[in-house]
Amino acid sequence: MQDLTFLGIESSCDDTAAAVVRAERGAGQILASEVEGQVALHAAYGGVVPEIAARAHAEKLDHVIERALAAAGLGLDALDGIAVTAGPGLIGGVLSGVMLAKGLAAATGLPLVGVNHLAGHALTPRLTDGLAFPYLMLLVSGGHCQFLVVKGAAEFHRLGGTIDDAPGEAFDKTARLLGLGQPGGPLVEAEAIRGDPARFHFPRPLLDRPGCDMSFSGLKTALLRARDGLIAAQGGLHVQDRADLCAGFQLAVTEVLAEKTRRALQQYRALNPAVPALAVAGGVAANRLIRERLQAVCAETGATFVAPPLRLCTDNAAMIAWAGIERFRQGGSDGMGLSARPRWPLDQAAPAMLGSGRKGAKA
Ligand code: KG4
Ligand code: ZN
């Protein structure tokens, strides 16, 4: 197998990222991975503002790429190709990355490979753990939530996903409702540690229905009602109320994810994989309770649990470089006609997802 070194570029949401990845005899090595977030730029607006994100990507991308190449100790002449996120995501940001990648490819004559951002997440366990196909992937972040059977570098089968909000989005909204900061996930988790998860009972949406689809938007309405009930009854929220609300909310999300994962594993195991494995990706996979419960579901069913390091679970460009290498090895590459796609489901045969996340329609 030919050794390949790729530059990866990611700008589909609120992280401007560049990375250099080398694949030697099939195994991946990250030579550099630079990520520049935009949390401060969007802080005043309570969510990612697409125009601000796009402008920041356009301003920062070339610096971030220079930093990645310098950290890898390589020049453009040492590369075998350029991989760039071509969707799905916020179109202005995706365009910034695609245009820059085209410019670099035109100037250097290097192959240009457009990558689906979700394929980047889904193929990460092969970069970090050398996981063989097929495996089950749970993508769970602020913008995505879906179960995918990853059968090959370009072969994905979606078993189900959220029909409205992504879980990270629900954590962020909960934090906002309770006056905590952003991103909300880690802050809600910290509150929940001191809380009683049994005091408030929040709904477990869609558990009564078969299949692996999920819904999280009703949870925030339930939380809002519980919060307003307390405020009406006692004039405000006590410290313990907030902790109990967070604990109840976190447990509801966790139980939905655990039960739907159990079902997804059942469907996936029917394919008789040699080594049944569940891999997770996305910021929500950082949550300790969620991780523990998913691990327990895997232990119950004899599946291996694979969780890449957090910096590679969240948005980064190493996953884009790696997915580009995998696609290139299969003969895939694009010319100057490569276009940016706001929507780009991995499984083209699956019915369209109904919802779209805070960070834009994903897939
Ligand atoms: O994967 P990610 O960095 O970005 C995308 O959404 O693409 O995920 C960020 C999301 C945010 O919504 C954040 O609140 C959530 O992941 N998150 C968490 C935790 N850490 C981050 N949610 C629950 N518990 C956490 N510890
Ligand atoms: Zn992502």
Side-chain angles (χ1 to χ4, degrees):
M1 204 180 267
Q2 187 199 352
D3 292 351
L4 291 173
T5 305
F6 264 55
L7 173 69
I9 299 172
E10 156 64 34
S11 57
S12 65
C13 189
D14 57 352
D15 290 300
T16 311
V20 182
V21 171
R22 176 175 290 153
E24 277 175 345
R25 289 177 298 281
Q29 193 193 349
I30 300 171
L31 302 183
S33 179
E34 299 283 324
V35 181
E36 196 157 320
Q38 304 179 351
V39 171
L41 290 180
H42 303 286
Y45 306 98
V48 177
V49 184
E51 288 308 321
I52 294 178
R55 211 171 310 134
H57 287 306
E59 280 168 13
K60 288 179 183 165
L61 266 170
D62 47 359
H63 302 294
V64 175
I65 291 169
E66 272 174 10
R67 272 190 353 234
L69 287 168
L74 298 177
L76 287 168
D77 54 342
L79 300 175
D80 299 301
I82 297 168
V84 63
T85 301
L90 300 174
I91 194 65
V94 179
L95 264 173
S96 305
V98 167
M99 296 308 287
L100 200 144
K102 280 185 186 176
L104 277 179
T108 56
L110 288 168
L112 174 67
V113 183
V115 167
N116 182 311
H117 176 89
L118 302 174
H121 280 302
L123 297 172
T124 298
R126 294 174 50 74
L127 167 63
T128 56
D129 294 79
L131 202 57
F133 298 123
Y135 52 90
L136 180 66
M137 157 68 52
L138 169 59
L139 261 182
V140 65
S141 72
H144 339 276
C145 183
Q146 52 186 307
F147 292 105
L148 291 165
V149 178
V150 186
K151 297 179 177 170
E155 210 187 331
F156 305 93
H157 175 55
R158 201 183 76 210
L159 298 180
T162 182
I163 60 166
D164 41 52
D165 291 356
E169 197 175 359
F171 269 97
D172 294 340
K173 284 178 181 167
T174 293
R176 225 167 283 138
L177 288 174
L178 298 178
L180 303 168
Q182 293 294 315
L187 299 167
V188 171
E189 180 175 20
E191 288 284 325
I193 289 170
R194 298 181 294 100
D196 171 10
R199 179 167 161 209
F200 299 98
H201 185 79
F202 292 115
R204 271 60 171 160
L206 297 193
L207 273 200
D208 53 336
R209 282 205 230 149
C212 305
D213 280 342
M214 292 163 278
S215 160
F216 296 99
S217 73
L219 266 174
K220 67 169 187 287
T221 316
L223 187 114
L224 177 68
R225 274 207 209 102
R227 182 201 71 171
D228 288 351
L230 287 170
I231 293 173
Q234 58 192 36
L237 286 185
H238 299 303
V239 172
Q240 193 57 44
D241 296 333
R242 187 185 281 168
D244 293 345
L245 286 167
C246 286
F249 164 82
Q250 181 178 256
L251 186 63
V253 174
T254 304
E255 289 190 345
V256 170
L257 285 172
E259 174 55 26
K260 294 290 179 170
T261 299
R262 193 172 287 121
R263 293 184 199 174
L265 271 168
Q266 251 168 21
Q267 288 187 28
Y268 155 75
R269 290 198 68 139
L271 303 171
N272 290 316
V275 184
L278 170 74
V280 291
V284 180
N287 185 283
R288 242 190 53 214
L289 183 68
I290 292 175
R291 226 174 235 255
E292 277 170 18
R293 288 293 173 90
L294 294 180
Q295 234 160 346
V297 170
C298 285
E300 253 171 54
T301 56
T304 309
F305 181 73
V306 180
L310 196 63
R311 72 197 157 77
L312 296 172
C313 274
T314 54
D315 286 352
N316 66 87
M319 69 180 190
I320 302 304
W322 174 257
I325 288 172
E326 293 234 42
R327 192 175 159 227
F328 187 68
R329 282 204 196 290
Q330 292 194 330
S333 77
D334 300 280
M336 288 297 137
L338 175 66
S339 52
R341 301 172 64 172
R343 292 185 81 84
W344 187 0
L346 273 181
D347 180 352
Q348 310 276 350
M353 302 281 271
L354 299 176
S356 62
R358 151 175 67 89
K359 296 176 176 177
K362 292 278 181 171

